[in-house]
Amino acid sequence: MQDTLMNKDEFSPKCVLVTGGAGFIGSNFIRYVLANSDDIRVINVDCLTYAGNLENLADIAEDKRYLFVKRDICETDEIIEVCRENGVDCIVHFAAESHVDRSITGPGEFIRTNVQGTLSMLQVARAAGDLRFLQVGTDEVYGTLGETGLFTEQTPLDPHSPYSASKASADHLVSAFGTTYGLPVLITRCSNNYGPYQFPEKMVPLMINNARHDKPLPVYGKGDNVRDWLYVEDHCSAIWTVLRNGEDGRVYNIGGNSEKQNIEVVRAILRHLDKKEDLITYVKDRPGHDFRYAIDASRIHTELGWEPSISFEDGLAKTIEWYLNNPTWLDHVVSGAYQKYYNEMYAGR
Ligand code: NAD
Ligand code: DAU
């Protein structure tokens, strides 16, 4: 496990309630916690939307330290009961609608899950004994950058998409619960993740899946938008560090020091797969597409000793290998509803 600067007030969780643990980052986080501790229990509350998949957790499903509870995060009273019955002492809140493109075509669900759902989980935390609450946030709440500059924790929130507006609202609620009720809250804001178990609506797995079938790779606009890429396991170690050592009420940016233009990422995927660049197809841009995200992660580094450990080149190679070695997982998630989604989002674009 990533070493942190030792803090005399370190929080030692005994039972962590994770929301959205059947999704991409949540499932990686649960695996990370169980692999790096002996006696910590993890409860996964997830209602299994299209993005929630228990196959992501098949290898740890029988672990006695793990419990899955199928609940919607808006079911406040039922989740308070889960906390009381299991002696939960902290909440790591991942559950969300997470895809920007879906928020553009259907914003309503983003408000229900990301705003109402976060309010509900904050009420759970209060009612179950002022539990430590870590909000898993995003750098998208800061808006967009030009060619230069970095997002710091002091950058004003300026969300542009319905997704980022809902996540910014959620962050404000979390801060308000800290200030108003004294709830011990923490907020992390992370850049783009990639790695195993990511649903192939997001760019990296979508491009890997299309390339393996020799289908066109739909690059939005000119492909010159920039994202800062972080391997998912590094994000998990950062969240774990903040949960145990972070200061109440504080925001921590998390980034990979790995800015890339989208087209560079797509070309790297094609190279790894030994496919030709003529699969690249430039398509109509995302409305309101943020140009560049880049993170100043010096606070988490200097205060808590965390830094990313996996380079983009190694992380991408591991990711591609994982998808190639898990064709059954990939075939399951791209069957059925995914095809309808893909056609609606990309046909004639
Ligand atoms: P994901 O879409 O893969 O998973 C979301 C999970 O939440 C799914 O398991 C889904 O079933 C569950 N869920 C959704 N609505 C729910 C509800 N009402 N009740 C219970 N469960 C519900 O998302 P992800 O990419 O793993 O992102 C997790 C969190 O991290 C999100 O809060 C997202 O905003 C944040 N984040 C993601 C990234 C990224 O690059 N993916 C970067 C920074 C922050
Ligand atoms: O920055 C953190 C955010 O990163 C998280 O909060 C979000 O949950 C997560 O989805 C991600 O948002 P992005 O919009 O940056 O990720 P996405 O994978 O959808 O897109 C990455 C870039 O690739 C973006 O500039 C749009 C572009 N893109 C995306 C898709 C799906 C394409 O060019 N073609 C595509 O088909």
Side-chain angles (χ1 to χ4, degrees):
M1 180 173 294
Q2 175 104 21
D3 280 338
T4 59
L5 300 180
M6 285 315 290
N7 172 352
K8 63 180 166 36
D9 299 324
E10 177 170 314
F11 172 71
S12 301
K14 301 213 166 20
C15 184
V16 186
L17 187 137
V18 168
T19 67
F24 164 48
I25 309 174
S27 61
N28 278 286
F29 180 74
I30 292 174
R31 185 172 294 100
Y32 179 89
V33 172
L34 293 177
N36 287 285
S37 66
D38 295 326
D39 50 1
I40 298 175
R41 286 179 300 125
V42 180
I43 310 215
N44 174 15
V45 171
D46 196 302
C47 71
L48 302 181
T49 67
Y50 78 92
N53 181 358
L54 291 180
E55 286 179 43
N56 296 1
L57 295 155
D59 55 328
I60 52 116
E62 301 304 321
D63 193 310
K64 296 216 166 5
R65 298 167 297 162
Y66 168 73
L67 176 68
F68 172 64
V69 178
K70 188 169 185 300
R71 285 274 172 214
D72 190 303
I73 51 169
C74 293
E75 294 177 290
T76 318
D77 292 342
E78 290 79 0
I79 304 178
I80 292 170
E81 215 34 55
V82 170
C83 290
R84 289 187 176 142
E85 279 167 8
N86 291 281
V88 168
D89 52 17
C90 57
I91 295 174
V92 182
H93 180 42
F94 290 95
E97 287 296 330
S98 67
H99 191 37
V100 174
D101 292 325
R102 288 187 196 253
S103 83
I104 294 167
T105 52
E109 197 54 29
F110 285 70
I111 303 307
R112 194 191 90 87
T113 300
N114 300 359
V115 184
Q116 282 288 122
T118 300
L119 174 62
S120 166
M121 288 309 303
L122 287 162
Q123 288 166 328
V124 168
R126 279 195 76 207
D130 284 340
L131 307 182
R132 193 166 176 81
F133 188 97
L134 189 149
Q135 163 74 356
V136 180
T138 169
D139 61 357
E140 297 202 11
V141 296
Y142 296 123
T144 187
L145 293 163
E147 299 285 352
T148 58
L150 299 171
F151 294 136
T152 73
E153 288 85 356
Q154 285 77 40
T155 302
L157 303 199
D158 180 23
H160 295 158
S161 71
Y163 163 70
S164 52
S166 69
K167 291 291 290 186
S169 310
D171 284 8
H172 282 311
L173 279 170
V174 172
S175 299
F177 268 63
T179 308
T180 307
Y181 304 112
L183 194 70
V185 296
L186 300 148
I187 297 175
T188 56
R189 295 194 180 126
C190 188
S191 61
N192 284 60
N193 285 214
Y194 66 102
Y197 302 103
Q198 188 168 30
F199 191 81
E201 64 190 350
K202 308 286 165 40
M203 186 180 80
V204 166
L206 185 147
M207 299 299 176
I208 295 172
N209 184 49
N210 282 17
R212 90 184 166 122
H213 293 300
D214 294 309
K215 280 176 57 179
L217 308 195
V219 173
Y220 296 170
K222 294 191 230 142
D224 58 354
N225 301 70
V226 175
R227 298 291 182 265
D228 170 16
W229 294 94
L230 181 71
Y231 191 65
V232 64
E233 204 177 306
D234 275 333
H235 188 187
C236 295
S237 73
I239 290 173
W240 190 234
T241 300
V242 172
L243 180 68
R244 291 177 309 146
N245 296 92
E247 191 183 313
D248 289 2
R250 211 144 168 80
V251 175
Y252 295 90
N253 281 352
I254 304 170
N257 299 326
S258 195
E259 282 185 55
K260 306 271 172 221
Q261 287 192 333
N262 293 338
I263 192 66
E264 290 179 73
V265 176
V266 172
R267 288 198 175 116
I269 291 171
L270 288 170
R271 270 198 310 279
H272 274 281
L273 290 168
D274 203 16
K275 299 280 183 180
K276 296 221 167 63
E277 288 202 5
D278 59 9
L279 286 178
I280 294 172
T281 312
Y282 293 92
V283 301
K284 191 163 167 240
D285 209 349
R286 172 186 280 174
H289 196 174
D290 286 337
F291 175 62
R292 174 171 166 262
Y293 304 144
I295 286 276
D296 175 346
S298 52
R299 173 178 286 179
I300 187 172
H301 180 58
T302 54
E303 294 183 11
L304 305 181
W306 177 89
E307 61 185 351
S309 66
I310 299 168
S311 71
F312 180 73
E313 290 66 30
D314 290 351
L316 189 66
K318 277 156 81 97
T319 302
I320 293 175
E321 206 169 303
W322 186 86
Y323 281 96
L324 294 180
N325 290 335
N326 290 275
T328 313
W329 183 91
L330 194 48
D331 289 341
H332 280 179
V333 298
V334 299
S335 62
Y338 179 81
Q339 293 305 326
K340 185 168 177 288
Y341 164 80
Y342 195 89
N343 288 335
E344 283 170 5
M345 195 60 79
Y346 294 97
R349 184 167 183 158

